[in-house]
Amino acid sequence: MKKVLMPFILIMACSLFVSCEVDDDSPNFYFTALNTVEAKMPESFEVGKTYDIEVTYQRPNGCTFFEGFDVSQTAETDRDVVVVGSVLTDEDRACTEAVEEVVATLKFNVIYTKDYVFRFYAGDDDEGNATYLEYSVPIAEEASTN
C-alpha cells in the first residue's frame, strides 16, 4: 500500500509547483481543407501492395499545419482525397503570409483488382464549387509464368 501511495503523493506535491492559468477554454485552432497541387501516382498498382503517394499541397501561411488526409471511398475503387490542415488562431501569434508548396506522403494499400480513380481536392472555383485533380491508376497485368 505504501509503494502505491508514494508516487501519488509525489505527483500531487509536484503539481503544487506547476500552475496553468486558463482564462479561455475556446479552441485556438480549426481544421481546413488544403489545396492539392499535384500527386505523384505510380503507372500501375499491384494487388496486395502498399504504395507511398507523394502529394504536393499549398500551405497558405505560417499558422497552417499539415494534419493528415481525409480519404473517402466513393465507389469500390474510387477515392476522394482531401489534405487536412489545422490553422492556429492565437491572437498573439504572428503568421507569415507566404504560400508554400509542401509534400506529404499518403500510404495506400491496394486490395481490389479493378482500376483505381483518385480525385484530390484542389480548391474551389470562382462560383464556390469544389475542383479536383483526377488520376486513374490501372492494375498491373500479372506476368505470365512459363
Side-chain angles (χ1 to χ4, degrees), residues 11-12 36 38 42 52-53 61-62 64 67 71 77-78 83 97 109-110 114-115 126-127 129 137:
I11 291 170
M12 291 304 293
T36 300
E38 174 188 27
D52 289 342
I53 300 170
N61 58 48
T64 302
E67 291 297 328
V71 180
T77 58
D78 293 354
V83 179
E97 294 300 319
N109 185 30
V110 178
K114 295 184 347 189
D115 295 352
D126 293 337
E127 282 126 32
N129 299 313
V137 183

Side-chain angles (χ1 to χ4, degrees), residues 8 16 24 34 51 61 72 79 94 96 98 102 105 116 120 123 125:
F8 178 73
L16 292 174
D24 185 9
L34 301 176
Y51 293 84
N61 58 48
S72 300
R79 303 292 186 272
T96 61
V102 183
T105 302
Y116 281 82
F120 290 86
D125 64 16

Side-chain angles (χ1 to χ4, degrees), residues 5 14 27 34 36 38 47 49 70 94 104 113 115 125 141:
L5 195 53
C14 289
L34 301 176
T36 300
E38 174 188 27
V47 176
K49 289 196 172 186
D70 180 19
T113 57
D115 295 352
D125 64 16
E141 297 289 327

Side-chain angles (χ1 to χ4, degrees), residues 28-142:
N28 64 347
F29 71 94
Y30 62 91
F31 293 110
T32 189
L34 301 176
N35 299 347
T36 300
V37 175
E38 174 188 27
K40 291 189 178 174
M41 305 297 289
E43 288 186 23
S44 63
F45 284 147
E46 288 183 43
V47 176
K49 289 196 172 186
T50 300
Y51 293 84
D52 289 342
I53 300 170
E54 290 184 3
V55 180
T56 303
Y57 66 92
Q58 287 182 330
R59 181 178 176 214
N61 58 48
C63 287
T64 302
F65 299 93
F66 175 77
E67 291 297 328
F69 295 98
D70 180 19
V71 180
S72 300
Q73 182 175 352
T74 58
E76 185 176 64
T77 58
D78 293 354
R79 303 292 186 272
D80 281 357
V81 181
V82 177
V83 179
V84 178
S86 60
V87 181
L88 298 180
T89 58
D90 293 336
E91 293 175 8
D92 299 335
R93 184 177 178 99
C95 299
T96 61
E97 294 300 319
V99 176
E100 68 176 318
E101 290 187 359
V102 183
V103 177
T105 302
L106 169 66
K107 291 199 171 292
F108 186 75
N109 185 30
V110 178
I111 59 173
Y112 297 107
T113 57
K114 295 184 347 189
D115 295 352
Y116 281 82
V117 175
F118 289 83
R119 292 179 355 127
F120 290 86
Y121 174 75
D124 293 338
D125 64 16
D126 293 337
E127 282 126 32
N129 299 313
T131 61
Y132 295 89
L133 301 176
E134 191 168 308
Y135 299 88
S136 183
V137 183
I139 298 299
E141 297 289 327
E142 292 188 37

